Amino acid sequence: MTVMTDSQYLPPRPGPMTVHDLEGLPDDGRRYELVDGTLLVSPAPGRRHQKASARLYGVLEAACPPQFDVLAAPFAVRSGDKVELQPDLLVGWESEFTERNLPTAPVLAVEVLSPSTALHDLNTKKALYQRLGVRSYWVIDPDEPALTVFELNEEGVYQQVAKAAGDEPFVAIRPFPVRVIPNDLLGRLSES
């Protein structure tokens, strides 16, 4: 099954796709992800999305201790042969990365909402990150701007633990101490 968020694409064969099928897809600026064999295709992100993602990367990278690494999309998180996600930003244990992907759950996944991806980011991908055991999941809304933070509880279910908007700071403890102010992620774009 193929779920499109932009244009039509026909899988190479009937039935669920695998991560190996992704290798034959075009390098066209879209993001190709697999959720249980279902292809998700997202268009290239917009300016506010990219600004928030790039600035948050800088904040996380500056605070990142050596046992972790911070990467920006496109970089694959793989689980088996039917799941491959590309969070906008991810933090993982340095020792668990390969050159091509992170074959284990990141300790933090970040998605920046876009009109074409918000539904998947807040539902489909959030549920999958929870299932994979991603301890912290952050969602950035660049239009508000706001940061919503979810963390796994003892039962392995995401609970919203914080929301910061505008100039309100969020001080993270996990995966490492870092301070994020949503307006700062957009710079002068936060005024428009």
Side-chain angles (χ1 to χ4, degrees), residues 88-153:
D88 290 311
L89 297 168
L90 66 96
V91 175
W93 292 99
E94 172 68 33
S95 61
E96 294 180 347
F97 283 94
T98 72
E99 273 305 304
R100 296 186 53 98
N101 62 61
L102 179 61
T104 62
V107 294
L108 169 64
V110 179
E111 295 290 354
V112 179
L113 301 179
S114 294
S116 63
T117 66
L119 187 62
H120 287 297
D121 291 343
L122 295 170
N123 295 287
T124 308
K125 291 176 84 173
K126 180 181 169 197
L128 187 51
Y129 290 136
Q130 177 180 289
R131 187 177 90 200
L132 295 175
V134 178
R135 291 183 1 205
S136 297
Y137 179 49
W138 296 2
V139 177
I140 305 288
D141 182 344
D143 290 332
E144 191 171 341
L147 164 63
T148 305
V149 177
F150 300 94
E151 291 187 358
L152 291 178
N153 64 17

Side-chain angles (χ1 to χ4, degrees), residues 24 41 43 56 62 79 88 109 111 114 118 121 131 161 168-169 174 180 191:
V41 182
L56 182 56
S79 178
D88 290 311
E111 295 290 354
S114 294
D121 291 343
R131 187 177 90 200
V161 297
E168 181 182 1
R174 290 188 197 146
V180 179
E191 300 165 8

Side-chain angles (χ1 to χ4, degrees), residues 63-81:
C64 186
Q67 69 266 30
F68 294 111
D69 198 6
V70 180
L71 290 176
F75 195 82
V77 172
R78 279 196 180 164
S79 178
D81 67 344

Side-chain angles (χ1 to χ4, degrees), residues 26 36 49 51 102 172:
D36 298 326
H49 178 286
K51 181 68 77 173
L102 179 61

